[in-house]
Amino acid sequence: MSMGGLDPAISLAENYRVWGREAAGRSPAYVTLSSAVADDLTILEFLGTLPPDKRQPNLLFASAYYLLGAPADPGTLRDLIRRAPDRLAQVMRTRRTQTNEPARCATLLPALAQLPEPLALIEVGASAGLTLLFDRYSYDYPGLRITGRDPEAPVLRCDLRGPVPVPGRLPEITWRAGLDLNPLDVTDDDDMRWLSCLVWPGEGDRAQRLAAAVAAARRSPPPVRRGDLLTDLPALVAEAPADATLVIYHSAVLAYVAPQDRERFAAIVRGLAAVWFSNEAPGVVPGVPLRDRDDGTFVLARDGRQALARTDGHGDWVEWLPAEPARQSGAAG
Ligand SMILES: C[S@@+](CC[C@H](N)C(=O)[O-])C[C@H]1O[C@@H](n2cnc3c(N)ncnc32)[C@H](O)[C@@H]1O
């Protein structure tokens, strides 16, 4: 199961238990909460009144946080469901899990920086567009500091494992655009409050980093277009400047897309004249190897073929993978 969706092969209670195991080490409060939900028939019954794609832990917990003004615990969640089930259901029906983690830029930057400049970026599933702002942030890799264009923007700390090709400077980005089913507006207080409610309690400095990234984005908002990755990508590609290397990328998006639609998306991107970087859970991107671990780690891959790195799902570290051995051309069959 990905953290985004529910596994239809197991019960809702079991989904919450599995989710709790995946949250272990990240958020003790939500480990407790997910196991309380799994054992609570009233909460499970409440969830059963919602459409199947609206029952997942991230959405329930963020919606409760949004209404309570603080992360829920088992007691406050039960109380909320007793007092205001309709309000909670309404938030869950209208909001989506759109976590936007700027620190993922630190794991994608080494791949981007290897391309001929200048770059034109299209991020698919961009949420509020915070992962479009590579050149605004500063980076703190072990032994290497890279200064971004906005001195007030957050400094993204990222550990390196293996021979990561960290760049000495930021690449030149001359054009950027996001595409999302439901773009969040960085200038809208309510949208940004929702984004902050998607951060789990106990996750170190994530909340402060998000607030600093939103403040930076507000100084010059990233353009994120409303649209579906299955239908609206070619039109956006047509707007990109011809004199830049076009990069189409996405992170933590395809897990929310049905498997047959992931295949359709892969076929669309392969037909476009662009470099394609995916940063998704193992097994999610058709054609990308490395299915052996499903522990919250992502696989950063190029062009739906070559796995470049394992990356922490929240951008804490990147582990570069050895290059695949080159195939010998003309080898005897
Ligand atoms: C978990 S967020 C990830 C945001 C950002 N990529 C990041 O790494 O921080 C996933 C985003 O994908 C978007 N999304 C999901 N399905 C989509 C689709 N079919 N077309 C466009 N966007 C989609 C959601 O609306 C959401 O904003």
Side-chain angles (χ1 to χ4, degrees):
M1 188 188 76
S2 78
M3 297 297 272
L6 294 176
D7 183 347
I10 57 176
S11 70
L12 189 54
E14 195 50 29
N15 266 292
Y16 271 75
R17 283 197 193 90
V18 172
W19 191 92
R21 286 199 285 278
E22 291 184 3
R26 292 237 185 235
S27 178
Y30 277 0
V31 172
T32 304
L33 191 57
S34 52
S35 116
V37 171
D39 292 334
D40 190 310
L41 287 180
T42 309
I43 302 180
L44 292 172
E45 208 172 282
F46 163 79
L47 291 169
T49 65
L50 296 166
D53 66 337
K54 292 288 180 181
R55 297 175 188 167
Q56 74 267 37
N58 246 352
L59 183 62
L60 173 65
F61 300 164
S63 301
Y65 188 165
Y66 181 80
L67 291 174
L68 293 167
D73 61 36
T76 55
L77 181 61
R78 283 190 195 106
D79 185 52
L80 180 63
I81 289 176
R82 200 169 43 242
R83 276 188 301 109
D86 294 345
R87 283 181 68 209
L88 180 58
Q90 198 237 346
V91 175
M92 292 180 72
R93 283 174 188 275
T94 51
R95 289 289 185 183
R96 298 162 182 270
T97 51
Q98 293 190 257
T99 308
N100 200 187
E101 177 47 77
R104 290 180 183 136
C105 286
T107 60
L108 292 169
L109 182 65
L112 274 191
Q114 292 185 313
L115 301 174
E117 298 176 38
L119 304 180
L121 306 180
I122 293 182
E123 184 182 11
V124 170
S127 184
L130 302 179
T131 28
L132 275 165
L133 305 178
F134 289 90
D135 45 354
R136 304 255 190 100
Y137 306 128
S138 292
Y139 298 83
D140 185 359
Y141 296 111
L144 179 69
R145 175 105 176 188
I146 305 172
T147 305
R149 279 179 23 218
D150 182 345
E152 306 290 315
V155 178
L156 307 178
R157 276 181 197 83
C158 180
D159 278 335
L160 305 175
R161 304 178 181 175
V164 184
V166 274
R169 61 170 182 82
L170 290 166
E172 188 192 356
I173 300 168
T174 47
W175 186 87
R176 73 195 85 206
L179 182 68
D180 201 286
L181 275 182
N182 183 50
L184 293 178
D185 178 355
V186 292
T187 66
D188 182 298
D189 288 343
D190 197 43
D191 273 2
M192 292 306 98
R193 194 161 79 76
W194 172 249
L195 209 49
S196 72
C197 291
L198 285 160
V199 175
W200 305 349
E203 286 196 295
D205 59 0
R206 269 190 92 195
Q208 293 95 302
R209 185 167 64 220
L210 177 64
V214 169
R218 282 181 165 177
R219 289 189 271 281
S220 177
V224 183
R225 186 84 50 88
R226 186 177 297 276
D228 191 321
L229 57 83
L230 290 173
T231 48
D232 300 309
L233 189 53
L236 201 51
V237 166
E239 292 179 30
D243 58 355
T245 304
L246 179 61
V247 186
I248 295 173
Y249 67 101
H250 48 91
S251 64
V253 174
L254 288 197
Y256 297 90
V257 173
Q260 66 276 19
D261 289 339
R262 295 174 198 162
E263 298 279 355
R264 283 177 58 204
F265 172 70
I268 292 167
V269 186
R270 287 196 175 102
L272 295 167
V275 175
W276 172 25
F277 290 128
S278 55
N279 186 43
E280 300 282 350
V284 166
V285 181
V288 173
L290 275 183
R291 291 161 187 259
D292 54 330
R293 276 197 234 167
D294 195 359
D295 57 0
T297 300
F298 286 174
V299 180
L300 172 61
R302 178 167 176 169
D303 297 331
R305 266 185 279 115
Q306 188 194 358
L308 300 174
R310 291 180 200 280
T311 67
D312 175 65
H314 291 154
D316 289 345
W317 52 262
V318 53
E319 174 189 347
W320 214 254
L321 297 167
E324 288 163 24
R327 294 217 176 84
Q328 288 184 356
S329 59

